[in-house]
Amino acid sequence: MKVLALLIIVFLTIRCSQKKSSVDTQHLEYAFLNKDSLVNPNIQGIWKSIGSGYLLEARHDSLLLYSYTKNFCYKEKNNYLEGLLNSESQFRRHGDTISLFLTDYDSKTESLQASRNYILIDTLPASCMTFTEMQQMGAEKQLALYLETMEENYAFTQERQVDWDSIRTHYSNQVSSTTTNEELFQLLGEIATLTEDHHTKVIAQDGRALQFQTVPTAQIVIDSFNNQSRITDLNDFFTSFFAKNYQHISDTLLAGNSHKVLNDKIEWGTLNSTIGYIHIHSFTGFGQGVPRKQQIDSVNFHMEKAIRTLQEKKAIIVDVSFNFGGYDASALTVASFFTDEPIHAFTSQVYQDGKFYNESEIYVQPAKNIAFTKPVYLVTTDISRSAAEGFAMMMDALPNVTLVGTNTLGILSGMLGKSISTFYTTSSNQRLLDPNGKFYEAIGVKPDLPINVFNRPDVFEAHMQTIREVMNIIEQDIKTQP
């Protein structure tokens, strides 16, 4: 009888295990059922992120986000992520794992973003704190939480030469029960700055952000400022630097006949009878208060119009010299107009506790109606950052594209957001591997044809001179073509 009972228990255990892992969604499903605003039963439960240090509690009526490290667990307050989770997120489930997609792009939901992957677990840790309890821990524990969060989730400790043990020893002696919130803010900001990573920040409730800010071009502009006396304020000089370079694009290079679209984030036109030009000022901000899907639809519409107009050109210069980034979905949409077949751009990975985990294979999918597959020259600088660098990787994967200019800034990772004390913190925990397994964090994407864009006698004329230099290169290449 004991043997029989044991066999029954084993049988039931196997059956339960099979039942637990039997859910397999063939298609993407929305996390919420529109008919009654309840959470889809296929995602209900407790989920642990594969990388990134998140826990997801999918209740019957809401999705709640938690953060955890080896010694801490607490309710997150991430309005951006929880907003997407509870509004437009979709998922694909395979047994006890899900691939989560935060933004709804209709049929392009999977192709325009990396997935966030989770595995089903039984329950939240018993020690998990509320958001308020985390904020009330005191400066010593909050510093310990920040350091633990960074050490477990920051992906580029080696590349940025960060010594967490030394940092912990140094800064742990600077906090006590009497440390004020402002003092803690300054300390965490100092630690963030030590990474020399522009995506690693500490942000106060009043919007102040502490982060590393230096870039090589900024120093060139500062040196130029110091060698003149007409403009006496450095900020005014930087403003003039950008304004004058933008003016040269519109009034001189494009001779006043440019097309500015999408809140002036994209400008295009004709440089001469053989060369077209598209300046991508940003990969975000295409419309105030406009949903992201609608912005992507608008990017697709205006890019199609530009490519149709420039279709007879022998080459196009695409320029991200002044692009501070935005969304990969925007970059993929622009890149789609320069290929007529799917091209593997990179593999997205996330980091946690010493390991990298694959998220998604990202492909540049061809645009639906038209493509420009003749030579394309992408101009980059160290101002080009974040999604602009991902775009450089996308374009570099295309056989008809040549990168010219200088290395991009080297902050390709997305920003992992974590609440610490009353602050919001971000850090780099994503790695983008090209098809050869190389990544460009900290060093930037390297051009095929190096050109010192801004290191010229006149920084106000430098970008225009560079574009003219690229035009000369194109004209020579055209002459040598059979």
Side-chain angles (χ1 to χ4, degrees):
M1 289 296 292
K2 289 183 178 180
V3 173
L4 179 60
L6 181 60
L7 288 173
I8 291 173
I9 292 171
V10 171
F11 174 76
L12 290 175
T13 301
I14 293 173
R15 291 283 292 177
C16 289
S17 175
Q18 290 174 339
K19 183 177 180 181
K20 184 179 180 182
S21 61
S22 64
V23 179
D24 194 348
T25 57
Q26 297 299 316
H27 306 285
L28 282 181
E29 295 186 0
Y30 284 95
F32 277 80
L33 303 175
N34 290 333
K35 61 181 181 180
D36 48 18
S37 297
L38 295 179
V39 174
N40 191 320
N42 285 334
I43 199 177
Q44 289 183 22
I46 309 297
W47 302 89
K48 181 179 182 180
S49 65
I50 301 175
S52 301
Y54 285 131
L55 296 169
L56 181 65
E57 182 182 14
R59 299 180 175 181
H60 75 284
D61 61 350
S62 61
L63 276 66
L64 304 178
L65 192 67
Y66 298 79
S67 282
Y68 75 91
T69 64
K70 290 178 181 178
N71 295 300
F72 297 92
C73 175
Y74 59 95
K75 173 71 180 65
E76 263 291 350
K77 186 177 181 181
N78 190 318
N79 295 333
Y80 170 70
L81 280 180
E82 285 198 328
L84 291 175
L85 286 168
N86 286 280
S87 59
E88 54 185 286
S89 62
Q90 298 177 63
F91 69 95
R92 186 186 298 276
R93 180 168 175 176
H94 297 284
D96 288 351
T97 63
I98 56 171
S99 294
L100 192 62
F101 299 89
L102 293 175
T103 305
D104 182 6
Y105 295 116
D106 284 346
S107 61
K108 297 181 179 180
T109 292
E110 289 182 274
S111 63
L112 289 181
Q113 61 191 309
S115 63
R116 311 288 181 97
N117 302 316
Y118 288 76
I119 187 167
L120 188 65
I121 60 175
D122 292 330
T123 185
L124 290 171
S127 60
C128 222
M129 296 178 284
T130 67
F131 178 71
T132 301
E133 287 172 334
M134 180 276 292
Q135 289 188 309
Q136 295 175 346
M137 285 194 307
E140 292 163 302
K141 286 188 176 181
Q142 286 162 352
L143 174 62
L145 170 59
Y146 181 66
L147 290 172
E148 201 165 280
T149 298
M150 290 294 292
E151 189 167 6
E152 291 183 19
N153 295 288
Y154 186 70
F156 304 105
T157 294
Q158 180 177 345
E159 288 75 15
R160 299 285 186 182
Q161 299 181 348
V162 182
D163 185 341
W164 294 114
D165 289 337
S166 175
I167 290 172
R168 181 177 290 103
T169 299
H170 177 74
Y171 283 93
S172 294
N173 295 325
Q174 298 188 39
V175 295
S176 69
S177 58
T178 62
T179 299
T180 67
N181 205 48
E182 178 62 24
E183 290 170 339
L184 180 63
F185 174 59
Q186 295 297 329
L187 287 175
L188 299 190
E190 286 183 23
I191 296 171
T193 303
L194 289 174
T195 64
E196 298 188 359
D197 181 341
H198 294 70
H199 271 168
T200 299
K201 311 175 185 180
V202 180
I203 306 169
Q205 289 178 309
D206 60 9
R208 289 177 298 151
L210 299 177
Q211 64 185 109
F212 184 75
Q213 295 185 340
T214 302
V215 299
T217 291
Q219 189 57 54
I220 293 174
V221 176
I222 292 171
D223 291 342
S224 180
F225 168 77
N226 291 331
N227 290 327
Q228 57 86 53
S229 57
R230 184 174 62 87
I231 301 175
T232 58
D233 182 83
L234 179 59
N235 289 331
D236 290 342
F237 191 84
F238 269 104
T239 299
S240 297
F241 163 76
F242 285 108
K244 193 64 176 180
N245 280 287
Y246 297 156
Q247 182 182 353
H248 282 317
I249 292 173
S250 303
D251 296 347
T252 306
L253 293 172
L254 297 178
N257 295 313
S258 69
H259 302 266
K260 291 185 179 182
V261 297
L262 298 169
N263 201 25
D264 292 348
K265 301 306 181 186
I266 295 181
E267 182 175 12
W268 62 273
T270 294
L271 293 171
N272 60 27
S273 61
T274 58
I275 305 172
Y277 177 84
I278 303 175
H279 174 224
I280 313 294
H281 177 70
S282 174
F283 286 114
T284 188
F286 303 115
Q288 188 69 30
V290 178
R292 200 176 300 176
K293 177 192 174 300
Q294 188 175 334
Q295 292 191 41
I296 295 302
D297 289 343
S298 296
V299 172
N300 191 75
F301 173 83
H302 286 287
M303 279 299 301
E304 181 173 331
K305 185 176 180 180
I307 295 301
R308 286 196 183 280
T309 304
L310 301 175
Q311 187 66 21
E312 299 307 314
K313 299 296 182 184
K314 293 185 178 181
I316 292 177
I317 295 174
V318 179
D319 192 352
V320 292
S321 296
F322 301 99
N323 193 307
F324 281 72
Y327 302 114
D328 287 341
S330 308
L332 283 163
T333 301
V334 173
S336 72
F337 286 92
F338 301 102
T339 181
D340 56 8
E341 62 178 345
I343 299 291
H344 180 211
F346 54 77
T347 300
S348 174
Q349 298 181 323
V350 288
Y351 178 85
Q352 187 177 16
D353 207 14
K355 296 181 181 179
F356 282 94
Y357 302 89
N358 285 352
E359 287 188 315
S360 297
E361 301 281 328
I362 302 298
Y363 283 77
V364 179
Q365 300 289 347
K368 184 177 181 180
N369 298 320
I370 193 170
F372 188 93
T373 56
K374 288 177 279 188
V376 176
Y377 294 77
L378 178 66
V379 183
T380 64
T381 69
D382 61 9
I383 296 175
S384 313
R385 64 189 67 185
S386 194
E389 302 182 83
F391 178 69
M393 290 186 70
M394 298 168 196
M395 296 291 280
D396 193 39
L398 308 183
N400 55 314
V401 176
T402 300
L403 271 59
V404 298
T406 56
N407 283 33
T408 61
L409 185 57
I411 54 167
L412 294 86
S413 171
M415 290 185 285
L416 178 68
K418 299 284 184 176
S419 300
I420 308 288
S421 182
T422 62
F423 318 123
Y424 185 70
T425 70
T426 65
S427 65
S428 299
N429 96 313
Q430 180 191 35
R431 184 171 71 176
L432 307 183
L433 297 179
D434 73 10
N436 296 316
K438 186 175 181 179
F439 63 96
Y440 300 93
E441 198 75 22
I443 60 173
V445 181
K446 184 178 180 180
D448 302 303
L449 297 177
I451 297 176
N452 289 322
V453 177
F454 295 114
N455 193 16
R456 298 172 186 264
D458 187 346
V459 294
F460 291 92
E461 304 282 327
H463 174 262
M464 179 175 62
Q465 293 172 3
T466 297
I467 298 302
R468 287 173 170 166
E469 187 173 338
V470 176
M471 290 173 65
N472 290 334
I473 292 171
I474 293 172
E475 296 287 3
Q476 292 300 317
D477 288 346
I478 291 172
K479 289 180 181 178
T480 60
Q481 292 176 0

